[in-house]
Each structure stands twice: as structure tokens, then as C-alpha cells.
Amino acid sequence: MSQSDTPLLDDLEKGPWPSFVKDMKQAAAKKPAARDLLRQLELSYKEKIGHWKHGGIVGVRGYGGGVIGRYSDRPEDFPNVAEFHTFRVNQPSGWFYTTKALRTLCDVWDKHGSGLTNFHGATGDIILLGAPTGELQATFDDLSANGFDLGGSGSDLRTPSACVGPARCEYACLDSLDICHTITCAYQEQLHRPQFPYKFKIKIAGCPNDCIASIARSDLSIIGTWKGNIRIDADAVRAYAGDSLDIQAEVVDLCPTKAMRYDAAAKSLTIDDAECNRCMHCINLMPKALRPGVEHGATILVGGKAPIVHGALLGWVVVPFMKMEPPYAELKDLIEKTFAWWDENAKMRERLGELIKRQGMGEFLRALDLKPAPQMIVRPRANPYFFWREGEVK
């Protein structure tokens, strides 16, 4: 690929940061599809318009999701990307791979596709970019023979994903990896065969830091938390005070609920745990001195999503604390009731959060037989009138 072929893309290679153009050119040295992809992308930059179109449904036998159809609207100019379909491959929990697994994936993709990958897509899947229609089934057969499965796409349960959890993180309050694996295996039907009004995402975070951003990006968010008091190591607090950390200014004054007190003379820290909202700020800054409480579980939130049909929504708390022990029967019961209510009541392309916003949180709680809790309140009531349903009061 000479510079004269793609001057606009060449310009993206300049500067201190790595460029995707360089990676695509490396693939183009071996793959005609990657070469035509570069040429089409150059045209898109020149004309300021995308040249992809959806020309129909493609897939593999027995599956309704996992393959996303993509066609060039200029097949006569770029014949090697006339069909350029995408595979979503279900990632391992926490994105842990062996080198053997990665080599196997790459070998399969070099054999059947463009060789271009995305580790990982926004949902978490392994993304294999660019296969012709005739190679779809063969690609899937090779992936399946090596222990890989497809992820979700379309109006189905999207591939559940989780943070690294207890494998690498000292803050983890639950086994996010095992929960993700269990949920993925339990709901294969909903994952592979689109049957819902729209997409549904489940993400699992090991602690309230929510490194996987589940609150903003998932219809059902499972976040590790604890009951009881934050554990305090008084000697470690004094050690932090003797270092460069200004505990009053950098920890106590930044507590969002003003739940902390620091005695500078005694170098002692106290926490009113009833006021703590588990923001993790103090634990993040003083990990040797502060640790989550002993009794671990999860907070369950629903309704988070990006701004697609309507505006962005953050998740609502619906279960402040749930024990998380295999086989996770209580969690599965909640998920299945949520699926049923949403599937029954949602309009086409209406996410769970949009349905709750339209019908009201009260309808959702009654359908799932959940009791209202203070943690569910977004803001204090502005309306002084409340109308009881018949039969709710004596």
C-alpha cells in the first residue's frame, strides 16, 4: 500500500500515538480484503460518508445472533469487501486467555476472514471483522471445534461480561468471573436466538468501583458490595498520616456523604457507616488502612443504557443487598422475572430502562414482587400527593 493510495489515512499515522491505520496496512500486506478496506475507508474520509450498508440477515445454522451482516455499497470498486460480515465471539470471563487460545483464534480467522480483529467490542466480545458469506459456516464450525461460541447480537441477551474480580483485584466482594460464566451458560437460548423487544445487557462488577461501567452500560447491573462496617487498621491510618497523604483534605473532605471524621492530633479516623454510600473513594486512597466489610454480596441495578432511541440512563437500585452464592438461584429468579415483564410490556426497540421510565418503577417492583427501599429513591419527592392502590392499605 503506497502513500499515494491513501493520503488521508497516511496522515493518521503521524504523531506520537499508535494508529489503527498501521495495523490495517500490516494486514493488507497479506489480505486483499484489508487492502480494499483501506481504499474504501479512504473514500469515506474523502467524501465524508460511510460506504457500508445492511443488505439482509446472515448467520450460521441454529443461531439467530452472533453474526452481523455488512456489505459495501461500492462492490464494483472494492470487490474484496463486497461482503464483510462481523463475528461476535463469546469472550472468557474477565478476558483471560492462554497464548494457545489466542493463536487458535488468529489461525481460524486468517484461514477464513480478513485477519482484522477487535479485542474487544463495547459489549465485551471478541470481534472478528470481515468474512464473506461463503465462509461464515466454516468459520463457526472451526471456532466451535476449538471450544469457542458466538456472542449475542440483535434483540437478544447480549454477551454477559465481568471485571477481573477476585483473580486480580483485592477489592472484589464477589466472584464476578463465576457469576458471569454461570449466567452465560444458563441463558444460552436467550443469548443465541433473538426473541426480545430489543437488546438486554448484563454486566458484573466485583466492587463498587464498577471498573466495567455496568451502571451506565447494562440493563441489569450486578455490583459487589458489603454489609456492616468498613474495616479500619488504626496503625495503617497513622502510617498514611506520616506520609504525604493529607487525610483531612484528600479523604475526609471529599467523602460525598460526610460520613468520616479525622482527629489530626491522635491521627485516628472514624466512619459513620450508616451514612456510607460505598463510593470506595476512601478505600481507594488508603487501601492498607481501609477494607470493605466482612459480609459480602451484591447490589442489583436495572435500566442503564446509552442514548440510542431515548436519552442515556443510569441504573436504578432495585435490590440493595443480595447474597451471591452458587448456584445463584435468587439472582436467576430476578433475571427471569425481569425478562418476562419486559418481554410482555415493552414496545419494539424499547430498552428495560425506557419501559420502567414509561410505566413507573412501582409497576416494575410489583411485577417482580420487590419491596420499595430508600436506596431506590433518585431524589426527594416534589409532589405532596400520593394515591394508594385499592387493597394496599386497610
Side-chain angles (χ1 to χ4, degrees):
M1 184 67 62
S2 65
Q3 288 208 348
S4 60
D5 291 330
T6 57
L8 296 176
L9 292 180
D10 296 340
D11 198 51
L12 292 178
E13 291 188 272
K14 300 174 183 176
W17 308 109
S19 171
F20 70 94
V21 176
K22 180 179 179 181
D23 293 336
M24 289 173 66
K25 286 183 176 180
Q26 288 177 341
K30 298 188 299 180
K31 293 285 186 176
R35 286 198 294 273
D36 273 6
L37 180 63
L38 280 167
R39 294 171 56 233
Q40 180 173 298
L41 184 58
E42 178 76 14
L43 181 65
S44 292
Y45 279 15
K46 181 179 178 180
E47 297 183 348
K48 298 181 173 60
I49 184 173
H51 284 288
W52 296 113
K53 65 177 183 179
H54 286 277
I57 302 298
V58 293
V60 298
R61 286 193 296 270
Y63 283 55
V67 183
I68 302 165
R70 185 171 288 113
Y71 298 86
S72 171
D73 68 2
R74 302 285 291 271
E76 67 284 356
D77 296 324
F78 311 109
N80 294 301
V81 294
E83 300 167 348
F84 201 76
H85 309 310
T86 293
F87 277 94
R88 285 181 179 165
V89 180
N90 198 328
Q91 79 282 1
S93 291
W95 300 282
F96 286 100
Y97 299 91
T98 63
T99 53
K100 180 181 178 182
L102 290 173
R103 289 184 185 279
T104 299
L105 273 171
C106 293
D107 288 344
V108 169
W109 194 230
D110 273 339
K111 178 181 176 182
H112 298 289
S114 71
L116 294 169
T117 64
N118 177 6
F119 280 74
H120 297 83
T123 303
D125 306 86
I126 306 159
I127 304 297
L128 305 181
L129 292 158
T133 305
E135 292 292 333
L136 293 180
Q137 188 63 47
T139 304
F140 171 72
D141 291 343
D142 281 356
L143 289 170
S144 183
N146 285 284
F148 290 95
D149 199 358
L150 298 189
S153 70
S155 296
D156 61 7
L157 172 64
R158 296 298 177 84
T159 316
S161 60
C163 69
V164 298
R168 293 289 300 274
C169 181
E170 62 186 301
Y171 299 144
C173 296
L174 48 73
D175 191 340
S176 55
L177 306 176
D178 185 60
I179 295 170
C180 184
H181 180 74
T182 300
I183 293 301
T184 302
C185 293
Y187 300 110
Q188 292 287 293
E189 177 71 22
Q190 292 83 353
L191 181 63
H192 292 312
R193 296 166 185 88
Q195 56 190 280
F196 289 152
Y198 203 15
K199 55 189 167 186
F200 195 100
K201 298 180 180 180
I202 298 176
K203 299 186 186 299
I204 304 103
C207 79
N209 277 320
D210 192 18
C211 294
I212 199 169
S214 64
I215 295 175
R217 302 193 302 139
S218 62
D219 300 88
L220 192 138
S221 172
I222 303 164
I223 298 181
T225 188
W226 67 88
K227 271 187 177 181
N229 298 338
I230 294 175
R231 290 173 280 176
I232 302 176
D233 185 327
D235 292 335
V237 171
R238 287 190 288 272
Y240 276 110
D243 293 335
S244 58
L245 181 66
D246 186 336
I247 295 177
Q248 183 63 48
E250 297 180 46
V251 180
V252 175
D253 290 347
L254 296 179
C255 176
T257 59
K258 307 302 179 187
M260 308 183 76
R261 297 290 181 271
Y262 178 60
D263 185 334
K267 295 182 179 179
S268 65
L269 186 70
T270 57
I271 302 174
D272 182 358
D273 287 274
E275 295 297 320
C276 174
N277 70 351
R278 315 291 199 276
C279 79
M280 294 291 289
H281 174 70
C282 60
I283 296 176
N284 291 335
L285 283 184
M286 305 173 65
K288 295 179 181 178
L290 303 175
R291 297 181 65 191
V294 176
E295 187 177 357
H296 293 169
T299 295
I300 311 298
L301 302 91
V302 298
K305 67 175 213 55
I308 302 176
V309 178
H310 293 290
L313 295 172
L314 296 177
W316 287 280
V317 172
V318 291
V319 180
F321 189 85
M322 178 186 290
K323 293 292 288 184
M324 280 289 149
E325 298 173 347
Y328 312 110
E330 187 178 1
L331 175 62
K332 290 178 183 176
D333 181 63
L334 178 72
I335 290 172
E336 288 158 19
K337 287 181 178 178
T338 301
F339 283 165
W341 181 77
W342 174 59
D343 195 25
E344 179 69 25
N345 292 280
K347 301 175 183 178
M348 290 302 296
R349 293 180 63 82
E350 184 174 48
R351 297 284 288 274
L352 176 64
E354 293 165 338
L355 174 60
I356 293 174
K357 193 173 181 180
R358 177 165 63 86
Q359 291 203 357
M361 179 59 78
E363 291 294 326
F364 177 77
L365 296 179
R366 277 184 281 272
L368 271 70
D369 196 26
L370 295 172
K371 295 186 181 299
Q375 291 90 341
M376 301 173 184
I377 297 171
V378 177
R379 61 183 65 87
R381 274 173 50 200
N383 189 331
Y385 300 100
F386 186 87
F387 298 93
W388 298 95
R389 285 172 169 254
E390 184 177 357
E392 288 187 338
V393 292
K394 294 181 180 179

